[in-house]
Amino acid sequence: GAVVSQHPSWVICKSGTSVKIECRSLDFQATTMFWYRQFPKQSLMLMATSNEGSKATYEQGVEKDKFLINHASLTLSTLTVTSAHPEDSSFYICSAPRDRAYGYTFGSGTRLTVV
Amino acid sequence: AQTVTQSQPEMSVQEAETVTLSCTYDTSENNYYLFWYKQPPSRQMILVIRQEAYKQQNATENRFSVNFQKAAKSFSLKISDSQLGDTAMYFCAFGADSNYQLIWGAGTKLIIKP
């Protein structure tokens, strides 16, 4: 149980285009979703926290207008990278806290390459 | 603010050996949780083991066990009878009971050699 499905697994897009990444909680309701960015050989860097029905909370230094996060329902949170540039190329991971007993459930990640 | 420190960027051991990964943290919270996550080459994050701070007994999951020293704010992971499939990045994480955000260590790359 406690599965978060993340799509796409990888995407290549041209500079200037937008890319949407979806995370769906399949067997539980995710009121909160964390969005991370991970550079090669580095730890997870929290970008923002989305809560169902309210605006996302962004970490310092993360551009709100570039990384649009929407949490429209209890089972779906999306991250849209707008006007993508090569420096946005990275690995993006979503994670939902289920409860303390089970820890956190992670999506499988999205590898974004902007050319 | 909470911090998590993993001081071993990379470790390498022979298959079947025992290895210990270190993690220290700093917090003023009384109630919190500690986690070890594994990230294999597939990059899927996998929960290895978790520890509730109020529990004195060290958590154990098959070949994985922790040495939780609350006063020293230390949370090391011991892997016994290491296997090739244990090769991965290992991240230590802290979660305060007051919120769900996790604080992550920098990670330790563990290589199990045949």
Side-chain angles (χ1 to χ4, degrees), chain A residues 38-98:
Chain A
Q38 187 181 31
F39 293 101
K41 300 181 181 181
Q42 292 190 23
S43 188
L44 280 69
M45 181 183 73
L46 181 65
M47 298 174 63
T49 303
S50 71
N51 293 290
E52 187 269 335
S54 62
K55 290 184 177 181
T57 302
Y58 290 82
E59 296 299 302
Q60 191 172 10
V62 177
E63 297 178 62
K64 300 178 183 181
D65 295 333
K66 166 166 277 297
F67 300 100
L68 299 179
I69 291 174
N70 184 276
H71 198 142
S73 75
L74 289 171
T75 59
L76 176 63
S77 179
T78 62
L79 165 66
T80 301
V81 183
T82 63
S83 186
H85 288 93
E87 57 265 30
D88 299 324
S89 298
S90 194
F91 190 69
Y92 294 88
I93 309 174
C94 62
S95 174
R98 191 172 182 189

Side-chain angles (χ1 to χ4, degrees), chain B:
Chain B
Q2 292 92 2
T3 59
V4 176
T5 302
Q6 293 180 251
S7 58
Q8 304 151 313
E10 184 170 325
M11 297 187 72
S12 178
V13 298
Q14 294 292 140
E15 190 177 9
E17 289 183 347
T18 294
V19 60
T20 299
L21 310 183
S22 66
C23 173
T24 59
Y25 60 95
D26 191 24
T27 184
S28 58
E29 299 274 347
N30 287 322
N31 300 318
Y32 52 89
Y33 299 79
L34 295 162
F35 305 88
W36 277 99
Y37 279 91
K38 167 185 177 181
Q39 189 179 39
S42 68
R43 302 191 80 171
Q44 173 71 57
M45 297 292 287
I46 301 167
L47 177 64
V48 175
I49 200 166
R50 64 186 176 274
Q51 173 83 41
E52 293 94 333
Y54 66 87
K55 288 187 177 180
Q56 293 187 337
Q57 187 173 6
N58 290 325
T60 299
E61 290 288 343
N62 300 314
R63 298 183 294 109
F64 300 88
S65 61
V66 298
N67 182 3
F68 174 47
Q69 301 291 327
K70 190 172 183 178
K73 297 180 180 174
S74 172
F75 183 61
S76 61
L77 173 69
K78 185 172 84 170
I79 305 174
S80 303
D81 186 26
S82 58
Q83 301 174 359
L84 297 179
D86 296 332
T87 292
M89 283 290 292
Y90 286 80
F91 294 99
C92 178
F94 169 98
D97 201 28
S98 54
N99 71 75
Y100 276 110
Q101 182 175 323
L102 285 178
I103 309 300
W104 296 89
T108 295
K109 182 177 181 181
L110 177 63
I111 299 171
I112 308 299
K113 298 179 289 186

Side-chain angles (χ1 to χ4, degrees), chain A residues 1-4 25-34 36 71 74 94-107, chain B residues 33 35 37 47 50 97 99-102:
Chain A
V3 175
V4 171
S25 56
L26 299 184
D27 52 359
F28 68 104
Q29 294 182 329
T31 56
T32 299
M33 190 74 74
F34 296 108
Y36 294 95
H71 198 142
L74 289 171
C94 62
S95 174
R98 191 172 182 189
D99 61 49
R100 297 298 190 181
Y102 294 99
Y104 298 68
T105 301
F106 288 82
Chain B
Y33 299 79
F35 305 88
Y37 279 91
L47 177 64
R50 64 186 176 274
D97 201 28
N99 71 75
Y100 276 110
Q101 182 175 323
L102 285 178

